[in-house]
Amino acid sequence: MRLWRPRSLGVALGIFMTIGFGLQLLGGPFQRRLPGLQLPQSWIPSLGPTVTPCLPRQRLVFLKTHKSGSSSVLSLLHRYGDQQGLRFALPAHYQFGYPKLFQASKVKGYHPQSSDSQKPFHILCHHMRFNLKEVLQVMPSDSFFFSIVRDPAALARSAFSYYKSTSSAFRKAPSLAAFLSNPRAFYRPGGRGNYYARNLLWFDFGLPFPPETKTRRVSPHVLRDPNPFQPHTIPSGAGPGKLVPAFTTAAANYEQPASLASPDSEPSSFIQWGLAWLDSVFDLVMVAEYFDESLVLLADALCWSLDDVVGFMHNAQAGGEQRLRTASKSAVTGGDPQLTARARAWNNLDWALYIHFNRSLWARIEHYGRSRLHSAVAELRARREALAKRCLMGGGALDPKYITDVRLRPFQFGSAKVLGYVLQSGLNQKDQEECERLATPELQYKDKLDAKQFPPTASLPLKASRLVPP
């Protein structure tokens, strides 16, 4: 558990007075979400089979971040909720008004309710820019909040390929290397789609941006961190990832995100306040480079079985997106340390996010137990491999040109092909249904859930929704 001790009583009183003022501004829902700003219960480690069996968590808020493996998490949420008969908070199309901050009014079928017990939705999981106050209008305050982050160097490569036609900054640059060598030549704050081009994770989490990100030129060096990211080697066989971040205690200056710091505040303080606020809201933040490890921890936190989190990778681009769970040093950089350093420096807020949540993930792993985690990850992968052999033609993802079933063909966007799946022929009805749930892309599954929750009242063909990139 993370501990923080104030240097003096005066400092402690000042901080807690600030906290109280911020909570008054946010009102009742925020206070119910953060009673006393205590550490979420999910941080308490599982102690083994002697503990009284838990009940599966079924009120979930998943912040679906961009280009971070979130479509694969969304797939398992779609499948679990569909099988359990849970009700999704769905957008009218495929996103909740992104890039604008989330608004409860964007949820299909939403009606204001005064109490948590009357809120009809179980899962909120589609693309949005996070806005806690509005989320709590839709979801109960005791919902399980979680998200996923990815190394900004890996994310930059994926985003440049996927959003090159969407971001004016990316569109002007001949290559990612050219962009990162002099990003100010291409990037203009507020330019069309330029939230994809810098600190995309920070943007998705709905955090405000410090003034320095708008005025300072990017440095080839990553923003200084008072607790530097220093990976160290773990013993062979301790887990699939060989780099484990050193854990340090987190900062604990909590404040409402709309007013994290004054314009003259130090960038490091601004960032630490933002990270501490996220800690107070999110029960778990997964890490894409340790995707399977994160899934095991998610299943443990939700009191789900491993089968509930076994699934296939979705929205993966051909040429490297298929293996998000590999270690970060080999996931993206193409063997170019300078490109990696520049990507992390340009996306300095995202790099701070990534360092912070990588540390918290591995602190959580220490509580869970490395040996126990290693066994669970091996079992998860074995079950995934067995499902792939049973369900999929070729045993894995395929080029979209081979996918003739429109129900299984992923939406194509960006310069790289988005891979998908073809089911084996001759499956019995039970296997066919299960394999379809595993292989259905996110847009088609959202349409399926929409039709289930809001069945058409007439026999007229449904008007096709406007497609947007996942």
Side-chain angles (χ1 to χ4, degrees):
M1 182 177 291
R2 286 168 286 181
L3 302 174
W4 172 77
R5 296 180 177 87
R7 295 182 180 178
S8 70
L9 180 61
V11 172
L13 290 174
I15 289 173
F16 283 107
M17 288 176 67
T18 303
I19 292 169
F21 180 69
L23 293 178
Q24 285 181 344
L25 289 176
L26 277 169
F30 188 87
Q31 292 178 11
R32 289 194 298 272
R33 173 70 190 153
L34 306 174
L37 292 170
Q38 296 175 355
L39 201 63
Q41 286 296 315
S42 58
W43 273 89
I44 300 175
S46 297
L47 300 178
T50 58
V51 177
T52 304
C54 54
L55 295 175
R57 301 285 296 269
Q58 295 188 335
R59 297 281 189 170
L60 312 173
V61 175
F62 174 59
L63 176 61
K64 187 179 185 296
T65 53
H66 286 82
K67 312 315 299 173
S68 299
S70 62
S71 293
S72 302
V73 180
L74 183 69
S75 174
L76 69 88
L77 292 175
H78 279 166
R79 191 174 76 248
Y80 180 87
D82 188 19
Q83 291 176 302
Q84 297 292 325
L86 304 182
R87 189 170 178 83
F88 288 80
L90 298 172
H93 296 293
Y94 298 104
Q95 299 181 358
F96 290 108
Y98 191 89
K100 295 179 180 178
L101 287 167
F102 174 81
Q103 295 292 321
S105 60
K106 296 295 183 181
V107 174
K108 193 171 181 180
Y110 165 74
H111 300 288
Q113 301 291 343
S114 58
S115 69
D116 281 354
S117 62
Q118 295 177 321
K119 293 175 181 175
F121 301 110
H122 296 92
I123 301 177
L124 174 64
C125 59
H126 293 87
H127 268 313
M128 63 173 162
R129 189 174 181 213
F130 191 67
N131 183 356
L132 178 62
K133 185 176 181 180
E134 287 292 310
V135 167
L136 291 175
Q137 298 300 312
V138 178
M139 299 298 297
S141 56
D142 63 350
S143 298
F144 185 89
F145 283 64
F146 69 112
S147 189
I148 185 169
V149 297
R150 187 182 185 185
D151 187 324
L155 194 153
R157 181 185 180 192
S158 179
F160 186 85
S161 170
Y162 200 76
Y163 297 115
K164 187 167 176 58
S165 63
T166 305
S167 165
S168 60
F170 285 162
R171 191 168 57 249
K172 296 172 186 175
S175 66
L176 179 60
F179 174 80
L180 291 174
S181 66
N182 186 17
R184 294 291 181 186
F186 308 101
Y187 177 87
R188 295 291 180 273
R192 180 179 176 271
N194 278 354
Y195 40 85
Y196 292 124
R198 190 179 191 194
N199 292 315
L200 179 55
L201 291 173
W202 191 272
F203 185 85
D204 283 350
F205 276 99
L207 295 169
F209 285 79
E212 65 92 19
T213 61
K214 301 176 183 178
T215 58
R216 288 183 60 184
R217 293 182 61 83
V218 65
S219 165
H221 304 290
V222 177
L223 180 70
R224 288 182 179 270
D225 184 350
N227 299 311
F229 185 61
Q230 297 177 342
H232 60 272
T233 304
I234 59 176
S236 177
K242 299 302 180 186
L243 292 178
V244 183
F247 171 67
T248 57
T249 58
N253 288 328
Y254 292 89
E255 181 62 74
Q256 181 193 0
S259 56
L260 286 174
S262 61
D264 58 350
S265 295
E266 288 295 325
S268 60
S269 298
F270 186 98
I271 291 170
Q272 291 301 321
W273 282 337
L275 296 176
W277 184 82
L278 292 178
D279 275 341
S280 72
V281 174
F282 285 86
D283 299 289
L284 172 67
V285 176
M286 304 167 65
V287 175
E289 282 73 21
Y290 299 103
F291 190 73
D292 290 344
E293 291 85 348
S294 296
L295 287 179
V296 170
L297 295 177
L298 178 66
D300 182 64
L302 296 179
C303 195
W304 290 7
S305 71
L306 273 186
D307 286 331
D308 292 327
V309 297
V310 173
F312 303 145
M313 195 65 68
H314 281 268
N315 206 35
Q317 298 179 43
E321 287 288 298
Q322 305 95 305
R323 300 189 179 275
L324 271 174
R325 63 178 180 268
T326 57
S328 61
K329 70 174 184 178
S330 61
V332 168
T333 57
D336 187 343
Q338 186 179 48
L339 189 68
T340 298
R342 286 176 173 173
R344 291 170 176 171
W346 174 244
N347 297 284
N348 61 327
L349 302 178
D350 281 5
W351 179 233
L353 272 175
Y354 182 78
I355 291 173
H356 180 77
F357 288 121
N358 204 331
R359 286 176 179 149
S360 69
L361 181 84
W362 284 93
R364 207 173 176 119
I365 286 172
E366 291 298 325
H367 285 303
Y368 186 88
R370 291 186 186 181
S371 177
R372 181 184 172 205
L373 179 79
H374 182 52
S375 299
V377 168
E379 178 65 23
L380 176 78
R381 291 175 178 171
R383 296 187 191 188
R384 180 189 292 132
E385 184 178 356
L387 281 171
K389 288 180 178 178
R390 191 175 83 204
C391 291
L392 304 177
M393 190 76 69
L398 298 175
D399 188 293
K401 68 182 179 182
Y402 299 113
I403 306 172
T404 57
D405 188 341
V406 294
R407 298 172 303 169
L408 299 181
R409 193 174 193 275
F411 178 56
Q412 299 300 305
F413 189 84
S415 58
K417 293 179 180 178
V418 179
L419 305 178
Y421 301 102
V422 176
L423 299 186
Q424 295 272 21
S425 58
L427 295 171
N428 61 46
Q429 182 176 351
K430 181 180 178 182
D431 285 352
Q432 180 75 23
E433 292 174 355
E434 180 181 7
C435 294
E436 280 186 5
R437 284 193 292 266
L438 287 161
T440 300
E442 62 182 280
L443 300 188
Q444 287 92 321
Y445 216 133
K446 184 268 173 185
D447 287 340
K448 174 185 174 181
L449 295 170
D450 201 314
K452 182 179 179 180
Q453 289 185 197
F454 304 97
T457 56
S459 58
L460 295 175
L462 291 173
K463 182 179 180 181
S465 298
R466 178 175 58 87
L467 292 180
V468 292

